[in-house]
Amino acid sequence: MSNEIIDGFFQAIYLIFTFDPEVWSVIAVSFRVSLTSTFLATLVALPIGSFIGLREFRGKRFISNLINTFMGFPPVVMGLIVFLLLSSSGLFGFLGLLYSTTAMIIAQFLLAVPIILGTGKAAIESVEPALKETVLSLGANERQLWWELIKDSKKSIIAGFLVTFGQAISEVGAVMIVGGNIRWSTRTFTTSIVLQTRMGEFGMAIALGIILITIAFILNYGMTRLQGSGK
Amino acid sequence: MVLLEVKNLTKDYYKKDGGVIPVLSDINFSIRKGETFAIIGPNGSGKTTLLRILGLLESPTQGEVQYRGRDVINLSRKHKTQYRRELSFVRQKPLVRDASVFDNIAFGLKVRGLKLKQYKNSVEDMIKRVGLSGMKNKSARSLSGGEMQRVVIAMNFIITPEIYLLDEVSANLDPVNVKILDNFINEIKQDKQKTIVLSTHDRYEAIRLADRIAVLNEGTIKQINTPSLIFQSPKDEFTAQFVGYENIFGGVASIDLKTHLNHVKINDLVITTSSQKEGKVKVCIHPESIIIAKNAPQNVSSLNLFKGKVEEVRDLGNLIHVVIRTNSEKFLVSITKLSQQKLEIKNGSEVYINFKATDVKIL
């Protein structure tokens, strides 16, 4: 057993440094799905989240609770929901998107939206009230104020983006269910690791694990750097 | 013309346990266009809250703020922005945006829709004027405290709004910046077009700048009047203790080239002072610095000697305040009960008052 693991480790290094095409396919799919979903979620949820943070209105507390609840939504359940919607008998079955990267992007997008909503809202709310007031008393309208606050909290917003991306790329359940783990097509780091481990192909599993951990390390390093340099 | 009117304004803060802290209660005043209105009061009297309400940074619990006869408290967002664009609000603590000096100073003009072409020159002039030449592209947040204060002054005075709200601005300024700020304020006061509402706890600042003063204590206005009336006859004990007594006159000063003494002409009275400030000035003389004599004193060193008539005698217990009219002006003089009895001072007595040129303070 222990020999297998050691063998696997050496095989992993071999796979990484010989640029194995299958490893590269997995990396490409993972990045494409996670980046696209995080990016789209930011595009949609950042303006809305920051707007919620900016304004005071009735029901704001309820909406905040709702966002917080969905931030911890179980990915597997999200996978199930998207699966049911996209399956041939589902509401959007006619689109024929099940077991495609688009389906994976949709699932991860839905998981990412609440997180970006929450971080956008928190980022705006954490701006010093005195800055808001200064900008307002200099004559800014609401849109101009919003832009100033976004600029002032850009570090928290970038950090939020990185966290969301990190969660997306290491997520298993949803992408497994809606993507189907198809080789060369919808296989990602995580689904691949699950499969290779089952098949006893530890080399490939360890190689992917090492890459995934390296990515996580780089993301965290980036975030610490961000937080270290001021806000 | 009344520009700003505050009616029955009340502000309460609510504590978590349901308790109420009244911050302002039943505030009423109106400010004319072109006027400099000072709100004077100790810390915690509600000055800042009052200015914040005028600047729409806080809303009152009750009451109205009218600008040109229209209530501004319940305006739509868009109209609130429009009203705010008629104001400049210089706050106690300097705070700049995370941008260059140039961007910070230009911000107020930029949000009002001006293009870079239109404001570039005036921003650069302003940077020179506040002594920040060469720092145009520096990050404003990297500046020293004093430099940051100048950015804040510049960004608020470049806007040229209708009303300037100044919240204890000179309290935290270093002397150089006080001068810069005074220059701006005097320039605004000169053409009498713009209105200034300022809060302060410094009575000399209020005397120097204000056309009228409102005395604020524990959230209520004790009195509103011109500086000379407030300081000569405070209506209540708080005002008397907090702002103190002072004879204040407005006049025009010119220095005699032979004697180097300064003569201030106040209506048909001329006061001599050793201070060297010329032009339109305010003159302050402490009631304690004035000496009363029954007969015209001879061979005294004091240069200011006037004949007058006692108009009022106020008994303050151990001290007596005597109001004496000379020509066009009234002087408040503080003497002891013993002196009053010795000199037999009562309403209608004819007396001489004199005080030293060095006891005359010029603001």
Side-chain angles (χ1 to χ4, degrees):
Chain A
M1 180 67 188
S2 67
N3 275 344
E4 278 174 16
I5 293 173
I6 291 163
D7 286 351
F9 192 77
F10 284 114
Q11 200 195 338
I13 288 166
Y14 174 79
L15 284 171
I16 292 169
F17 287 101
T18 53
F19 299 102
D20 182 76
E22 192 168 357
V23 171
W24 277 104
S25 156
V26 163
I27 293 174
V29 170
S30 289
F31 267 89
R32 191 154 64 84
V33 168
S34 304
L35 267 181
T36 313
S37 60
T38 311
F39 186 72
L40 290 178
T42 306
L43 217 60
V44 173
L46 181 62
I48 300 172
S50 52
F51 195 70
I52 295 170
L54 185 66
R55 272 213 188 162
E56 290 304 319
F57 53 89
R58 271 186 67 179
K60 181 170 175 170
R61 186 172 291 184
F62 175 74
I63 289 180
S64 305
N65 281 332
L66 211 63
I67 291 173
N68 288 337
T69 311
F70 277 92
M71 275 171 95
F73 199 84
V76 182
V77 181
M78 184 58 82
L80 176 64
I81 293 169
V82 175
F83 180 90
L84 292 174
L85 287 171
L86 294 181
S87 66
S88 54
S89 56
L91 201 53
F92 299 103
F94 65 95
L95 294 170
L97 288 174
L98 200 60
Y99 303 134
S100 70
T101 46
T102 312
M104 294 155 76
I105 290 170
I106 292 171
Q108 294 210 325
F109 169 82
L110 293 174
L111 286 169
V113 161
I115 305 174
I116 301 276
L117 278 178
T119 45
K121 176 177 163 288
I124 293 291
E125 283 173 348
S126 67
V127 173
E128 212 183 331
L131 181 73
K132 277 183 209 177
E133 293 177 354
T134 301
V135 170
L136 270 183
S137 33
L138 285 168
N141 62 27
E142 196 178 32
R143 189 178 48 79
Q144 290 161 335
L145 171 68
W146 173 79
W147 182 235
E148 281 307 312
L149 300 186
I150 291 279
K151 281 200 287 185
D152 200 71
S153 54
K154 57 178 180 285
K155 281 177 184 165
S156 328
I157 290 169
I158 294 171
F161 182 90
L162 293 180
V163 168
T164 314
F165 175 74
Q167 290 201 4
I169 206 160
S170 53
E171 192 279 327
V172 203
V175 288
M176 180 80 100
I177 294 175
V178 301
N181 194 19
I182 303 165
R183 197 177 183 186
W184 306 109
S185 159
T186 61
R187 186 164 293 173
T188 65
F189 283 117
T190 52
T191 57
S192 188
I193 291 172
V194 172
L195 183 74
Q196 310 294 351
T197 312
R198 287 275 160 72
M199 299 195 315
E201 296 276 349
F202 295 118
M204 185 72 164
I206 293 171
L208 293 172
I210 289 172
I211 298 171
L212 194 53
I213 287 168
T214 311
I215 292 169
F217 177 78
I218 292 170
L219 287 178
N220 272 307
Y221 182 74
M223 262 165 41
T224 344
R225 280 290 294 268
L226 262 180
Q227 270 141 17
S229 61
K231 273 195 173 177
Chain B
M1 186 191 116
V2 171
L3 192 66
L4 205 57
E5 188 163 14
V6 173
K7 285 183 177 169
N8 311 319
L9 191 89
T10 298
K11 176 76 185 177
D12 297 325
Y13 284 149
Y14 298 97
K15 286 193 286 192
K16 283 224 169 92
D17 61 11
V20 178
I21 310 166
V23 182
L24 295 169
S25 27
D26 199 27
I27 305 284
N28 288 284
F29 59 81
S30 52
I31 299 172
R32 291 184 294 272
K33 187 177 160 65
E35 186 178 24
T36 301
F37 189 84
I39 300 159
I40 188 167
N43 288 336
S45 57
K47 303 186 294 284
T48 298
T49 308
L50 183 52
L51 284 183
R52 284 169 59 82
I53 291 173
L54 295 182
L56 294 189
L57 293 179
E58 229 168 297
S59 42
T61 311
Q62 253 175 45
E64 279 189 16
V65 175
Q66 291 189 351
Y67 176 68
R68 295 184 193 274
R70 278 182 61 195
D71 179 53
V72 294
I73 301 295
N74 299 307
L75 290 177
S76 67
R77 268 196 188 81
K78 203 179 132 197
H79 288 105
K80 275 188 178 168
T81 303
Q82 271 174 16
Y83 165 70
R84 281 205 198 93
R85 288 182 180 172
E86 304 276 300
L87 309 170
S88 214
F89 193 168
V90 190
R91 296 137 60 85
Q92 279 184 55
K93 264 173 72 186
L95 185 78
V96 292
R97 292 161 51 251
D98 187 11
S100 71
V101 168
F102 183 93
D103 272 357
N104 266 287
I105 297 177
F107 187 73
L109 301 176
K110 206 168 136 191
V111 296
R112 281 166 176 76
L114 268 71
K115 297 272 167 284
L116 179 67
K117 267 208 307 248
Q118 294 167 287
Y119 61 69
K120 192 168 180 278
N121 287 335
S122 60
V123 173
E124 275 169 2
D125 287 348
M126 186 53 98
I127 291 175
K128 269 188 217 125
R129 197 175 154 183
V130 296
L132 292 175
S133 302
M135 300 193 189
K136 164 178 149 174
N137 297 319
K138 260 190 143 178
S139 159
R141 286 195 180 162
S142 71
L143 298 178
S144 73
E147 289 162 347
M148 221 185 268
Q149 287 170 345
R150 288 187 214 171
V151 174
V152 172
I153 294 172
M155 73 190 189
N156 279 293
F157 280 90
I158 201 170
I159 302 172
T160 61
E162 202 54 54
I163 303 175
Y164 292 85
L165 302 174
L166 313 177
D167 188 17
E168 298 214 32
V169 275
S170 54
N172 303 310
L173 293 187
D174 61 45
V176 180
N177 291 352
V178 169
K179 249 186 203 146
I180 292 175
L181 181 74
D182 270 10
N183 271 332
F184 280 110
I185 294 178
N186 288 328
E187 201 178 285
I188 293 163
K189 281 173 66 71
Q190 240 161 35
D191 61 6
K192 293 196 161 69
Q193 288 305 303
K194 307 290 185 185
T195 310
I196 300 174
V197 185
L198 62 95
S199 76
T200 182
H201 54 243
D202 174 2
R203 62 195 186 121
Y204 289 115
E205 185 175 63
I207 296 168
R208 193 179 56 199
L209 298 172
D211 299 313
R212 283 194 305 151
I213 294 177
V215 181
L216 191 68
N217 186 37
E218 290 178 348
T220 52
I221 288 188
K222 296 297 179 190
Q223 56 179 309
I224 302 177
N225 224 321
T226 59
S228 22
L229 282 171
I230 285 197
F231 284 87
Q232 258 193 3
S233 32
K235 285 220 179 67
D236 60 304
E237 207 174 319
F238 169 77
T239 309
Q241 282 186 356
F242 182 72
V243 302
Y245 293 91
E246 199 85 52
N247 289 293
I248 301 159
F249 308 103
V252 181
S254 55
I255 293 171
D256 187 321
L257 290 173
K258 269 188 226 154
T259 58
H260 296 290
L261 284 171
N262 199 353
H263 298 292
V264 187
K265 195 172 179 324
I266 303 148
N267 298 320
D268 41 6
L269 190 78
V270 177
I271 289 180
T272 306
T273 162
S274 51
S275 160
Q276 298 293 300
K277 196 175 167 190
E278 285 193 287
K280 269 187 77 176
V281 293
K282 279 188 174 158
V283 174
C284 294
I285 307 140
H286 263 305
E288 292 87 2
S289 313
I290 303 175
I291 294 163
I292 301 185
K294 198 76 186 161
N295 305 304
Q298 279 164 4
N299 307 325
V300 285
S301 67
S302 51
L303 289 168
N304 294 289
L305 178 62
F306 305 105
K307 193 179 176 191
K309 201 170 174 183
V310 175
E311 280 203 348
E312 199 186 330
V313 178
R314 297 180 203 149
D315 195 334
L316 303 183
N318 52 344
L319 270 183
I320 306 287
H321 274 178
V322 187
V323 179
I324 297 161
R325 174 177 283 282
T326 65
N327 299 336
S328 53
E329 308 307 313
K330 276 187 199 175
F331 284 87
L332 179 72
V333 182
S334 173
I335 54 171
T336 57
K337 202 157 202 162
L338 187 67
S339 309
Q340 186 222 358
Q341 286 162 353
K342 259 168 116 180
L343 297 174
E344 292 173 334
I345 289 168
K346 51 183 184 292
N347 276 356
S349 315
E350 295 219 330
V351 291
Y352 290 85
I353 55 171
N354 66 91
F355 46 90
K356 289 157 68 176
T358 46
D359 278 342
V360 179
K361 190 169 174 152
I362 295 260
L363 294 174

